Amino acid sequence: MGKYSLLFLPGDGIGPEVMAEVRRIVDWFSSRTELAFDVSEDLVGGACYRVHGVPLHDDTMAKARAADAVFLGAVGGPEYDGLDFSLKPERGLLRLRKEMDLFSNLRPAQCFDALADFSSLKKNVVSGLDIMIVRELTGGVYFGEPRGIHREGNERVGINTQRYTESEIARVARTAFDLARRRGKKVCSMEKANVMESGILWRDVVTEIHADEYHDVELSHMYADAGAMQLTRWPKQFDVIVTDNLFGDLLSDLAAMLTGSIGMLPSASLGAPMENGAPRAMYEPVHGAAPDIAGEGKANPIACILSFAMALRYSFDAGGEANRLEAAIADVLSEGLRTADLIGETGSKPVSTSDMGNAILAALDRTSTR
Ligand code: IPM
Ligand code: MG
Protein backbone atom coordinates (compact mmCIF):
# COMPACT_ATOMS: atom_id res chain seq x y z
CA MET A 1 0.00 0.00 0.00
CA GLY A 2 1.34 3.46 -0.91
CA LYS A 3 1.73 6.35 1.45
CA TYR A 4 -1.18 8.68 1.91
CA SER A 5 -0.32 12.38 1.72
CA LEU A 6 -1.87 14.50 4.45
CA LEU A 7 -1.83 18.29 4.48
CA PHE A 8 -2.08 19.76 7.98
CA LEU A 9 -3.38 23.32 8.28
CA PRO A 10 -3.37 24.05 12.04
CA GLY A 11 -4.51 27.67 11.65
CA ASP A 12 -5.31 29.91 14.61
CA GLY A 13 -6.18 29.84 18.30
CA ILE A 14 -6.26 26.32 19.72
CA GLY A 15 -5.85 24.85 16.20
CA PRO A 16 -2.07 24.23 16.51
CA GLU A 17 -2.39 22.61 19.97
CA VAL A 18 -5.08 20.16 19.02
CA MET A 19 -3.45 19.38 15.67
CA ALA A 20 -0.18 18.54 17.43
CA GLU A 21 -2.05 15.74 19.23
CA VAL A 22 -3.51 14.48 15.95
CA ARG A 23 0.01 14.41 14.52
CA ARG A 24 1.08 12.02 17.28
CA ILE A 25 -1.94 9.80 16.62
CA VAL A 26 -1.14 9.75 12.89
CA ASP A 27 2.47 8.76 13.72
CA TRP A 28 1.14 5.98 15.92
CA PHE A 29 -0.92 4.54 13.06
CA SER A 30 2.05 4.92 10.69
CA SER A 31 4.37 2.94 12.96
CA ARG A 32 1.95 0.36 14.33
CA THR A 33 -0.35 -0.55 11.42
CA GLU A 34 -0.19 -1.23 7.68
CA LEU A 35 -1.12 2.38 6.99
CA ALA A 36 1.57 4.87 6.00
CA PHE A 37 1.19 8.64 6.04
CA ASP A 38 3.29 11.47 4.76
CA VAL A 39 2.39 14.68 6.62
CA SER A 40 3.19 18.19 5.44
CA GLU A 41 2.11 21.39 7.10
CA ASP A 42 1.09 24.84 5.89
CA LEU A 43 -0.64 28.06 6.91
CA VAL A 44 -4.30 29.06 6.85
CA GLY A 45 -6.43 31.83 8.36
CA GLY A 46 -4.90 34.55 10.49
CA ALA A 47 -1.63 32.62 10.72
CA CYS A 48 -1.36 32.82 6.92
CA TYR A 49 -2.47 36.44 6.81
CA ARG A 50 0.36 37.42 9.15
CA VAL A 51 2.95 35.92 6.80
CA HIS A 52 1.45 36.35 3.32
CA GLY A 53 -1.19 39.07 3.76
CA VAL A 54 -3.97 36.68 2.62
CA PRO A 55 -5.91 34.01 4.57
CA LEU A 56 -4.90 31.26 2.11
CA HIS A 57 -1.98 31.19 -0.33
CA ASP A 58 -2.47 29.88 -3.88
CA ASP A 59 0.34 27.36 -3.35
CA THR A 60 -1.48 25.99 -0.31
CA MET A 61 -4.68 25.74 -2.32
CA ALA A 62 -2.81 23.67 -4.93
CA LYS A 63 -1.30 21.42 -2.24
CA ALA A 64 -4.75 20.91 -0.71
CA ARG A 65 -6.15 19.79 -4.06
CA ALA A 66 -3.29 17.34 -4.51
CA ALA A 67 -3.41 15.81 -0.99
CA ASP A 68 -5.21 12.59 -0.12
CA ALA A 69 -6.75 14.46 2.81
CA VAL A 70 -6.53 17.90 4.39
CA PHE A 71 -6.76 18.43 8.16
CA LEU A 72 -7.72 21.87 9.40
CA GLY A 73 -7.47 22.99 13.03
CA ALA A 74 -9.39 26.26 13.36
CA VAL A 75 -9.40 29.79 11.97
CA GLY A 76 -10.21 33.21 13.38
CA GLY A 77 -9.62 35.45 16.35
CA PRO A 78 -10.55 38.91 17.65
CA GLU A 79 -7.33 40.45 16.34
CA TYR A 80 -8.64 39.98 12.81
CA ASP A 81 -12.03 41.64 13.42
CA GLY A 82 -10.96 44.88 11.75
CA LEU A 83 -9.70 43.24 8.54
CA ASP A 84 -11.38 43.76 5.23
CA PHE A 85 -14.03 41.04 4.72
CA SER A 86 -12.08 39.37 1.89
CA LEU A 87 -8.99 39.00 4.11
CA LYS A 88 -10.68 37.57 7.20
CA PRO A 89 -9.36 34.17 8.38
CA GLU A 90 -12.73 32.50 7.66
CA ARG A 91 -12.34 33.33 3.96
CA GLY A 92 -9.39 30.92 3.82
CA LEU A 93 -11.54 28.07 5.11
CA LEU A 94 -14.44 28.94 2.81
CA ARG A 95 -12.10 29.06 -0.20
CA LEU A 96 -10.79 25.59 0.61
CA ARG A 97 -14.32 24.22 0.84
CA LYS A 98 -15.43 25.90 -2.39
CA GLU A 99 -12.39 25.24 -4.57
CA MET A 100 -12.07 21.62 -3.46
CA ASP A 101 -15.85 21.36 -4.12
CA LEU A 102 -16.47 19.73 -0.73
CA PHE A 103 -20.23 19.73 -1.00
CA SER A 104 -21.10 17.27 1.76
CA ASN A 105 -20.22 18.10 5.34
CA LEU A 106 -20.73 15.17 7.70
CA ARG A 107 -21.19 16.19 11.32
CA PRO A 108 -21.91 13.24 13.59
CA ALA A 109 -23.30 13.90 17.06
CA GLN A 110 -22.57 10.88 19.21
CA CYS A 111 -22.88 10.82 22.95
CA PHE A 112 -20.15 8.86 24.69
CA ASP A 113 -21.66 6.95 27.65
CA ALA A 114 -19.14 8.48 30.02
CA LEU A 115 -20.38 11.96 29.13
CA ALA A 116 -24.14 11.43 29.18
CA ASP A 117 -24.34 13.18 32.56
CA PHE A 118 -22.52 16.16 31.21
CA SER A 119 -25.12 17.17 28.61
CA SER A 120 -27.37 20.11 29.41
CA LEU A 121 -30.26 17.76 28.60
CA LYS A 122 -31.45 14.88 30.78
CA LYS A 123 -29.36 11.73 30.60
CA ASN A 124 -32.13 9.57 29.13
CA VAL A 125 -32.60 12.07 26.30
CA VAL A 126 -28.98 11.85 25.14
CA SER A 127 -27.51 8.54 26.25
CA GLY A 128 -26.76 6.36 23.24
CA LEU A 129 -27.39 9.27 20.88
CA ASP A 130 -25.92 8.70 17.42
CA ILE A 131 -27.07 11.04 14.69
CA MET A 132 -25.42 12.32 11.55
CA ILE A 133 -26.02 15.80 10.21
CA VAL A 134 -25.22 16.16 6.53
CA ARG A 135 -24.79 19.83 5.78
CA GLU A 136 -24.56 21.14 2.22
CA LEU A 137 -21.27 23.05 2.23
CA THR A 138 -20.55 24.82 -1.05
CA GLY A 139 -23.81 26.55 -1.92
CA GLY A 140 -26.69 28.46 -0.41
CA VAL A 141 -26.44 31.83 1.26
CA TYR A 142 -22.73 31.35 2.01
CA PHE A 143 -21.84 31.75 -1.66
CA GLY A 144 -24.95 33.02 -3.49
CA GLU A 145 -24.85 36.16 -5.63
CA PRO A 146 -25.74 38.99 -5.48
CA ARG A 147 -24.17 39.78 -2.15
CA GLY A 148 -22.63 42.82 -0.51
CA ILE A 149 -23.39 46.04 1.28
CA HIS A 150 -24.41 49.02 -0.82
CA ARG A 151 -26.05 52.35 -0.42
CA GLU A 152 -29.70 53.00 -1.26
CA GLY A 153 -30.58 56.67 -0.77
CA ASN A 154 -29.37 57.68 2.64
CA GLU A 155 -28.94 54.25 4.17
CA ARG A 156 -26.93 51.06 3.59
CA VAL A 157 -28.43 47.74 2.56
CA GLY A 158 -26.85 44.33 3.25
CA ILE A 159 -27.63 41.56 0.77
CA ASN A 160 -27.03 37.81 0.65
CA THR A 161 -28.69 35.34 -1.64
CA GLN A 162 -29.89 31.84 -0.93
CA ARG A 163 -29.42 29.95 -4.19
CA TYR A 164 -29.53 26.22 -4.91
CA THR A 165 -29.54 24.34 -8.20
CA GLU A 166 -31.26 20.97 -8.52
CA SER A 167 -27.93 19.21 -9.01
CA GLU A 168 -26.47 20.78 -5.86
CA ILE A 169 -29.42 19.51 -3.85
CA ALA A 170 -29.41 16.09 -5.51
CA ARG A 171 -25.76 15.31 -4.82
CA VAL A 172 -25.91 16.11 -1.11
CA ALA A 173 -29.21 14.23 -0.82
CA ARG A 174 -27.48 11.15 -2.27
CA THR A 175 -24.73 11.47 0.32
CA ALA A 176 -27.35 11.47 3.07
CA PHE A 177 -29.30 8.51 1.65
CA ASP A 178 -26.11 6.48 1.08
CA LEU A 179 -25.03 7.09 4.69
CA ALA A 180 -28.49 6.22 6.01
CA ARG A 181 -28.35 2.91 4.15
CA ARG A 182 -25.34 1.95 6.26
CA ARG A 183 -26.91 3.24 9.50
CA GLY A 184 -30.50 3.47 10.73
CA LYS A 185 -32.07 3.80 7.22
CA LYS A 186 -33.85 7.09 8.01
CA VAL A 187 -33.30 10.55 6.53
CA CYS A 188 -35.00 13.71 7.74
CA SER A 189 -34.61 16.66 5.36
CA MET A 190 -34.85 20.16 6.84
CA GLU A 191 -35.59 23.47 5.08
CA LYS A 192 -38.10 26.30 5.25
CA ALA A 193 -40.36 25.39 2.34
CA ASN A 194 -43.08 27.41 4.08
CA VAL A 195 -41.12 30.64 3.53
CA MET A 196 -38.41 30.11 0.89
CA GLU A 197 -38.63 29.05 -2.77
CA SER A 198 -35.20 27.46 -2.42
CA GLY A 199 -36.78 25.39 0.35
CA ILE A 200 -39.61 24.28 -1.93
CA LEU A 201 -37.08 23.16 -4.54
CA TRP A 202 -34.99 21.46 -1.85
CA ARG A 203 -38.00 19.44 -0.68
CA ASP A 204 -39.02 18.52 -4.25
CA VAL A 205 -35.57 17.33 -5.28
CA VAL A 206 -34.96 15.31 -2.11
CA THR A 207 -38.39 13.69 -2.58
CA GLU A 208 -37.61 12.82 -6.23
CA ILE A 209 -34.20 11.33 -5.50
CA HIS A 210 -35.76 9.26 -2.74
CA ALA A 211 -38.59 7.99 -4.94
CA ASP A 212 -36.24 7.12 -7.81
CA GLU A 213 -33.28 5.61 -6.00
CA TYR A 214 -33.76 4.97 -2.29
CA HIS A 215 -36.98 3.05 -1.55
CA ASP A 216 -35.25 1.18 1.23
CA VAL A 217 -34.63 4.38 3.24
CA GLU A 218 -37.40 6.17 5.13
CA LEU A 219 -37.67 9.88 4.28
CA SER A 220 -39.34 12.61 6.32
CA HIS A 221 -39.33 16.40 6.02
CA MET A 222 -39.31 19.06 8.71
CA TYR A 223 -39.15 22.83 8.73
CA ALA A 224 -35.74 23.73 10.08
CA ASP A 225 -37.10 25.68 13.06
CA ALA A 226 -39.25 22.73 14.11
CA GLY A 227 -36.19 20.55 13.52
CA ALA A 228 -34.23 22.60 16.04
CA MET A 229 -37.03 22.14 18.54
CA GLN A 230 -37.23 18.38 17.92
CA LEU A 231 -33.46 18.06 18.24
CA THR A 232 -33.62 19.37 21.78
CA ARG A 233 -36.90 17.61 22.66
CA TRP A 234 -36.05 14.06 21.57
CA PRO A 235 -32.91 13.86 19.41
CA LYS A 236 -32.95 10.06 19.26
CA GLN A 237 -35.86 10.21 16.78
CA PHE A 238 -33.27 11.14 14.11
CA ASP A 239 -30.76 9.04 12.20
CA VAL A 240 -29.46 11.18 9.30
CA ILE A 241 -30.48 14.83 8.89
CA VAL A 242 -29.81 16.56 5.56
CA THR A 243 -30.00 20.31 5.31
CA ASP A 244 -28.56 23.38 3.61
CA ASN A 245 -25.40 25.30 4.42
CA LEU A 246 -26.76 27.88 6.87
CA PHE A 247 -29.34 25.71 8.64
CA GLY A 248 -26.67 23.01 8.85
CA ASP A 249 -24.27 25.44 10.49
CA LEU A 250 -26.82 26.24 13.21
CA LEU A 251 -28.28 22.77 13.69
CA SER A 252 -24.85 21.13 13.94
CA ASP A 253 -23.78 23.47 16.75
CA LEU A 254 -27.00 22.63 18.54
CA ALA A 255 -26.51 18.90 18.01
CA ALA A 256 -22.89 19.16 19.14
CA MET A 257 -23.92 20.56 22.47
CA LEU A 258 -26.35 17.69 23.07
CA THR A 259 -23.34 15.43 23.42
CA GLY A 260 -21.84 17.38 26.29
CA SER A 261 -19.22 19.56 24.67
CA ILE A 262 -18.52 21.06 21.31
CA GLY A 263 -14.94 19.97 22.03
CA MET A 264 -15.99 16.42 21.15
CA LEU A 265 -17.38 16.80 17.66
CA PRO A 266 -15.49 16.01 14.44
CA SER A 267 -16.48 16.65 10.86
CA ALA A 268 -15.66 15.44 7.38
CA SER A 269 -16.14 17.57 4.28
CA LEU A 270 -16.29 15.37 1.22
CA GLY A 271 -16.36 16.05 -2.51
CA ALA A 272 -16.38 13.98 -5.66
CA PRO A 273 -14.12 10.89 -5.96
CA MET A 274 -10.47 11.43 -6.93
CA GLU A 275 -8.52 9.15 -9.28
CA ASN A 276 -7.99 6.51 -6.57
CA GLY A 277 -11.73 6.38 -5.85
CA ALA A 278 -11.55 8.08 -2.44
CA PRO A 279 -13.43 11.37 -2.13
CA ARG A 280 -11.61 14.68 -2.08
CA ALA A 281 -11.70 15.43 1.64
CA MET A 282 -11.01 17.87 4.42
CA TYR A 283 -11.40 17.00 8.09
CA GLU A 284 -11.91 19.54 10.86
CA PRO A 285 -13.30 19.73 14.36
CA VAL A 286 -16.67 21.48 14.64
CA HIS A 287 -15.33 23.80 17.35
CA GLY A 288 -13.62 27.05 16.44
CA ALA A 289 -10.37 28.75 17.39
CA ALA A 290 -11.37 29.46 21.04
CA PRO A 291 -8.87 32.35 21.35
CA ASP A 292 -9.75 32.80 25.05
CA ILE A 293 -7.99 29.54 25.96
CA ALA A 294 -5.40 29.36 23.16
CA GLY A 295 -1.86 28.44 24.17
CA GLU A 296 -2.82 27.34 27.68
CA GLY A 297 -2.99 23.60 27.10
CA LYS A 298 -6.67 23.60 28.08
CA ALA A 299 -8.18 22.64 24.73
CA ASN A 300 -9.84 19.30 24.21
CA PRO A 301 -8.07 17.50 21.32
CA ILE A 302 -10.79 14.83 21.00
CA ALA A 303 -12.85 16.54 18.25
CA CYS A 304 -9.73 16.82 16.12
CA ILE A 305 -8.61 13.25 16.86
CA LEU A 306 -12.10 11.96 16.05
CA SER A 307 -11.79 13.82 12.74
CA PHE A 308 -8.80 11.61 12.00
CA ALA A 309 -10.99 8.59 12.81
CA MET A 310 -13.43 9.87 10.18
CA ALA A 311 -10.52 10.15 7.73
CA LEU A 312 -9.57 6.54 8.42
CA ARG A 313 -13.14 5.57 7.60
CA TYR A 314 -13.94 7.80 4.61
CA SER A 315 -10.55 8.46 2.95
CA PHE A 316 -8.34 5.49 3.79
CA ASP A 317 -10.82 2.61 3.72
CA ALA A 318 -9.75 1.64 7.24
CA GLY A 319 -13.03 1.40 9.14
CA GLY A 320 -11.54 -1.14 11.54
CA GLU A 321 -8.77 1.27 12.54
CA ALA A 322 -11.35 4.06 12.91
CA ASN A 323 -13.34 1.88 15.32
CA ARG A 324 -10.16 1.15 17.23
CA LEU A 325 -9.35 4.85 17.64
CA GLU A 326 -12.91 5.65 18.71
CA ALA A 327 -12.81 2.80 21.23
CA ALA A 328 -9.54 4.13 22.66
CA ILE A 329 -11.17 7.53 23.18
CA ALA A 330 -14.23 5.95 24.82
CA ASP A 331 -11.83 4.04 27.13
CA VAL A 332 -10.02 7.16 28.22
CA LEU A 333 -13.30 8.94 28.92
CA SER A 334 -14.63 6.07 30.98
CA GLU A 335 -11.42 6.11 33.01
CA GLY A 336 -12.56 9.59 34.03
CA LEU A 337 -10.04 11.73 32.17
CA ARG A 338 -11.50 15.15 31.38
CA THR A 339 -10.19 18.29 29.71
CA ALA A 340 -11.44 21.62 31.11
CA ASP A 341 -14.49 21.79 28.80
CA LEU A 342 -15.78 18.53 30.31
CA ILE A 343 -15.42 19.46 33.96
CA GLY A 344 -18.36 21.82 34.46
CA GLU A 345 -19.35 22.36 38.08
CA THR A 346 -17.87 19.10 39.36
CA GLY A 347 -14.74 20.77 40.71
CA SER A 348 -12.45 17.91 39.66
CA LYS A 349 -9.06 18.60 38.15
CA PRO A 350 -8.83 18.84 34.37
CA VAL A 351 -6.04 17.24 32.33
CA SER A 352 -4.11 19.19 29.71
CA THR A 353 -4.39 18.87 25.94
CA SER A 354 -1.21 16.80 25.72
CA ASP A 355 -2.13 14.61 28.72
CA MET A 356 -5.34 13.74 26.93
CA GLY A 357 -3.24 12.90 23.84
CA ASN A 358 -0.90 10.76 25.95
CA ALA A 359 -3.82 8.86 27.46
CA ILE A 360 -5.34 8.15 24.05
CA LEU A 361 -1.97 6.90 22.77
CA ALA A 362 -1.65 4.64 25.82
CA ALA A 363 -5.16 3.30 25.23
CA LEU A 364 -4.22 2.61 21.58
CA ASP A 365 -1.11 0.73 22.76
CA ARG A 366 -3.34 -1.46 24.90
CA THR A 367 -5.52 -2.32 21.87
CA SER A 368 -2.50 -3.63 19.97
CA THR A 369 -1.36 -5.96 22.76
CA ARG A 370 -4.81 -7.37 23.47
C1 IPM B 1 -18.36 26.00 10.86
C2 IPM B 1 -17.97 27.42 11.15
C3 IPM B 1 -17.71 28.13 9.83
C4 IPM B 1 -19.01 28.19 9.07
C5 IPM B 1 -17.07 29.52 9.95
C6 IPM B 1 -15.80 29.51 10.76
C7 IPM B 1 -16.83 30.15 8.60
O1 IPM B 1 -18.94 28.03 11.92
O2 IPM B 1 -17.59 25.28 10.20
O3 IPM B 1 -19.43 25.58 11.31
O4 IPM B 1 -19.84 29.10 9.28
O5 IPM B 1 -19.22 27.31 8.24
MG1 MG C 1 -20.47 26.72 12.62
Side-chain angles (χ1 to χ4, degrees), residues 173-174 177-178 181 209-218:
R174 288 196 179 93
F177 287 124
D178 285 338
R181 254 187 193 153
I209 298 282
H210 174 252
D212 291 347
E213 301 169 33
Y214 295 96
H215 289 276
D216 51 323
V217 177
E218 184 188 318

Side-chain angles (χ1 to χ4, degrees), residues 118 260-264 293 298-301 338-344 350:
F118 196 72
S261 168
I262 198 162
M264 297 293 300
I293 58 163
K298 286 185 184 164
N300 184 350
R338 300 281 184 273
T339 41
D341 56 312
L342 303 175
I343 295 284

Side-chain angles (χ1 to χ4, degrees), residues 75 90 93-94 97 107 135 142 249 253 284 286:
V75 293
E90 290 79 3
L93 169 61
L94 294 170
R97 290 175 179 171
R107 298 193 160 184
R135 166 189 178 193
Y142 271 61
D249 183 41
D253 264 30
E284 25 166 341
V286 172

Side-chain angles (χ1 to χ4, degrees), residues 6-319:
L6 312 185
L7 177 65
F8 272 39
L9 302 173
D12 307 323
I14 60 171
E17 298 160 60
V18 292
M19 289 285 278
E21 299 311 312
V22 180
R23 183 82 183 240
R24 296 163 69 206
I25 303 283
V26 171
D27 290 345
W28 189 93
F29 278 90
S30 274
S31 64
R32 305 293 287 274
T33 71
E34 304 276 274
L35 296 160
F37 299 104
D38 189 16
V39 181
S40 63
E41 208 170 292
D42 214 331
L43 300 169
V44 70
C48 183
Y49 174 79
R50 285 203 303 275
V51 177
H52 298 299
V54 286
L56 186 73
H57 197 277
D58 291 344
D59 291 350
T60 314
M61 190 64 240
K63 282 189 214 164
R65 291 182 59 86
D68 286 308
V70 177
F71 290 82
L72 187 131
V75 293
E79 65 269 48
Y80 308 110
D81 282 352
L83 282 184
D84 187 72
F85 185 70
S86 65
L87 298 175
K88 283 194 190 294
E90 290 79 3
R91 301 313 301 172
L93 169 61
L94 294 170
R95 181 175 171 201
L96 282 162
R97 290 175 179 171
K98 187 69 177 174
E99 290 188 22
M100 291 171 75
D101 201 17
L102 306 173
F103 57 87
S104 297
N105 183 213
L106 279 48
R107 298 193 160 184
Q110 268 167 320
C111 184
F112 284 85
D113 282 346
L115 296 181
D117 277 325
F118 196 72
S119 173
S120 52
L121 299 189
K122 292 193 189 79
K123 186 170 180 171
N124 74 317
V125 178
V126 295
S127 71
L129 180 71
D130 177 10
I131 60 182
M132 176 71 87
I133 297 191
V134 179
R135 166 189 178 193
E136 199 291 327
L137 201 61
T138 49
V141 76
Y142 271 61
F143 297 99
E145 300 281 348
R147 64 186 299 164
I149 301 175
H150 67 245
R151 200 158 261 292
E152 272 180 26
N154 54 8
E155 65 174 351
R156 288 173 303 161
V157 184
I159 298 175
N160 289 92
T161 303
Q162 168 86 337
R163 179 180 194 276
Y164 271 111
T165 62
E166 287 186 278
S167 52
E168 283 174 323
I169 301 167
R171 62 184 186 171
V172 73
R174 288 196 179 93
T175 304
F177 287 124
D178 285 338
L179 282 166
R181 254 187 193 153
R182 286 180 264 136
R183 303 171 37 102
K185 298 200 164 38
K186 283 198 303 189
V187 170
C188 181
S189 170
M190 296 188 186
E191 27 56 19
K192 288 276 290 175
N194 51 346
V195 182
M196 300 162 76
E197 285 80 357
S198 59
I200 296 175
L201 185 69
W202 183 281
R203 191 176 281 220
D204 280 357
V205 173
V206 172
T207 304
E208 284 161 22
I209 298 282
H210 174 252
D212 291 347
E213 301 169 33
Y214 295 96
H215 289 276
D216 51 323
V217 177
E218 184 188 318
L219 171 65
S220 60
H221 302 275
M222 236 177 237
Y223 297 139
D225 54 345
M229 185 264 284
Q230 291 296 338
L231 264 173
T232 37
R233 190 186 69 82
W234 189 244
K236 285 188 255 184
Q237 70 187 282
F238 297 110
D239 175 28
V240 175
I241 292 173
V242 63
T243 188
D244 75 18
N245 205 343
L246 184 60
F247 293 141
D249 183 41
L250 303 179
L251 294 171
S252 62
D253 264 30
L254 193 161
M257 207 55 216
L258 300 176
T259 69
S261 168
I262 198 162
M264 297 293 300
L265 270 281
S267 81
S269 305
L270 307 178
M274 299 184 287
E275 259 166 42
N276 64 5
R280 201 174 286 291
M282 179 162 76
Y283 296 89
E284 25 166 341
V286 172
H287 64 68
D292 50 323
I293 58 163
E296 296 178 21
K298 286 185 184 164
N300 184 350
I302 292 180
C304 219
I305 295 173
L306 284 171
S307 301
F308 181 63
M310 292 189 88
L312 288 168
R313 189 169 288 126
Y314 297 111
S315 285
F316 311 130
D317 196 23

